[in-house]
């Protein structure tokens, strides 16, 4: 099934929101109001197309690098911002942090601070759905590093044995931490792990949102029709560092420059213009509006956090 024009525009909109949100996250980090490292997905925004290929009732799980998946699933941006600073109005009341958040109101059943922990959760949720005779699919998003962990193979085995409609969407962004994927995985294509389990493995261009959308639709259709797990490998690239504290000393600037020229947002922009779905000026206006919105929300978060610090009394909450 091919993508329709409305879906393509909505994917572009959410991809742009994710990109500009994460750029503002850098500013929040630099302001010193978000503690700990933050895991950004700049460059991997086309994964949002896979999230949007799902039906509203389908279940989504993500890894620690989760902002783009959350935004694709329509978790509120303001709630994500507030979760970063531990505010009670955050996604999880300020208690989950950026990589342990969940919002069941949009069927985003959570992230995992440990990159492989979502696999077992996804199997459990898919099994529960099957036992209740529901028709939901489950999509579990993870990185190439997590796919080299034993938990991935255990989850695949359990999903196969129980005939679960579960899509394992693996974002191969070329690096697991500071290690090249080729240094931790002995095969070229992670999707080929499917051969050992007699299930489909689909490889897609992870920077081409249209290709990602269509690959995910194919996987979902097969999973539901055959009560079977499917592996989708999305070959993409992480332009941002492993964390916001990463200086990228383990890779050459030329490598990043080459991938910048194959940017996921630029690719979808060209698709929209070349197919008469939108014009360049309209896309630029959309970007400027989103950029203004994200900057305003980040400014509010920074100002709010500053006021909280200035009004803090070390005796607050002390039992007298």
């Amino acid at each position: 099934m091919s993508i329709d024009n409305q879906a393509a525009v909505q994917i572009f909109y959410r991809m742009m929101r994710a990109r500009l949100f994460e750029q503002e996250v850098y500013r929040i980090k630099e302001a010193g109001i978000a503690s700990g490292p933050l895991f950004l997905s700049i460059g991997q925004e086309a994964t949002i197309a896979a999230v949007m290929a799902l039906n509203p009732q389908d279940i989504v799980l993500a890894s620690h690098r989760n902002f783009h998946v959350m935004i694709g699933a329509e978790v509120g941006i303001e709630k994500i911002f507030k979760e970063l600073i531990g505010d009670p109005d955050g996604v999880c009341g300020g208690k989950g942090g950026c990589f342990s958040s969940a919002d069941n109101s949009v069927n985003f059943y959570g992230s995992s601070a440990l990159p492989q922990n979502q696999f077992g959760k996804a199997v459990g949720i898919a099994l529960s759905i099957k036992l209740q005779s529901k028709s939901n699919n489950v999509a579990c998003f993870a990185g190439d590093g997590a796919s080299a962990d034993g938990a991935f193979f255990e989850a695949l085995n359990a999903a196969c044995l129980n005939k679960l409609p579960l899509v394992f969407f693996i974002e191969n962004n070329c690096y697991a931490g500071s290690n090249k994927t080729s240094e931790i995985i002995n095969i070229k294509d992670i999707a080929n792990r499917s051969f050992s389990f007699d299930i489909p493995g689909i490889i897609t261009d992870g920077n081409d949102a249209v290709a990602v959308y269509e690959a995910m639709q194919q996987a979902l259709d097969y999973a539901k029709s055959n009560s079977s797990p499917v592996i989708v490998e999305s070959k993409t690239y992480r332009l941002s560092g492993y964390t916001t504290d990463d200086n990228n000393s383990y890779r050459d600037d030329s490598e990043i420059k080459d991938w910048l020229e194959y940017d996921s947002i630029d690719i979808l922009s060209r698709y929209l213009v070349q197919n008469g779905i939108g014009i360049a000026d309209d896309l630029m206006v959309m970007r400027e509006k989103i950029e203004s919105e994200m900057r305003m929300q980040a400014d509010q978060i920074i100002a709010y956090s500053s006021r909280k610090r200035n009004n803090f009394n070390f005796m607050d909450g002390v039992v007298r």
Side-chain angles (χ1 to χ4, degrees), residues 1 137 167 216-227 230:
M1 186 184 298
N137 279 308
V167 177
M216 190 61 162
Q217 282 193 322
Q218 179 186 347
L220 291 167
D221 289 345
Y222 185 93
K224 181 167 287 188
S225 300
N226 296 277
S227 298
V230 179

Side-chain angles (χ1 to χ4, degrees), residues 89-279:
D89 291 329
V91 182
C92 289
K95 298 177 181 178
C98 67
F99 40 69
S100 298
S101 296
D103 187 349
N104 291 4
S105 69
V106 292
N107 283 336
F108 180 73
Y109 274 35
S111 313
S112 172
L114 296 175
Q116 70 278 5
N117 276 9
Q118 70 271 31
F119 294 132
K121 296 174 187 176
V123 170
I125 292 169
L127 180 59
S128 173
I129 288 169
K130 180 178 180 179
L131 292 174
Q132 296 177 73
S133 299
K134 294 181 178 179
S135 59
N136 316 54
N137 279 308
V138 178
C140 182
F141 292 80
D144 48 289
S147 75
D149 192 272
F152 179 55
F153 300 94
E154 292 174 2
L156 277 170
N157 191 57
C160 290
L161 289 173
N162 289 282
K163 302 186 184 304
L164 303 179
L166 171 55
V167 177
F168 294 94
F169 190 96
I170 306 299
E171 294 179 85
N172 185 348
N173 64 18
C174 300
Y175 283 90
S178 58
N179 299 305
K180 288 187 176 181
T181 303
S182 59
E183 296 173 349
I184 66 163
I185 295 176
N186 71 323
I187 57 174
K188 179 183 176 182
D189 300 317
I190 296 170
N192 287 348
R193 300 286 194 201
S194 64
F195 298 158
S196 300
F197 295 90
D198 196 25
I199 61 173
I202 301 170
I203 300 171
T204 189
D205 181 344
N207 280 27
D208 183 340
V210 174
V212 169
Y213 184 87
E214 293 175 350
M216 190 61 162
Q217 282 193 322
Q218 179 186 347
L220 291 167
D221 289 345
Y222 185 93
K224 181 167 287 188
S225 300
N226 296 277
S227 298
S228 167
V230 179
I231 300 173
V232 177
E233 180 184 3
S234 174
K235 292 184 180 291
T236 181
Y237 189 80
R238 167 171 52 79
L239 293 171
S240 49
Y242 177 63
T243 73
T244 47
D245 298 330
D246 186 352
N247 62 11
N248 277 321
S249 60
Y250 50 86
R251 52 184 177 177
D252 296 332
D253 290 343
S254 60
E255 177 182 308
I256 298 175
K257 182 180 177 182
D258 288 344
W259 278 95
L260 275 168
E261 295 175 358
Y262 195 65
D263 180 72
S264 58
I265 290 178
D266 290 344
I267 291 169
L268 185 54
S269 297
R270 288 195 294 271
Y271 173 87
L272 294 174
V273 173
Q274 291 170 2
N275 287 275
I277 301 170
I279 61 175

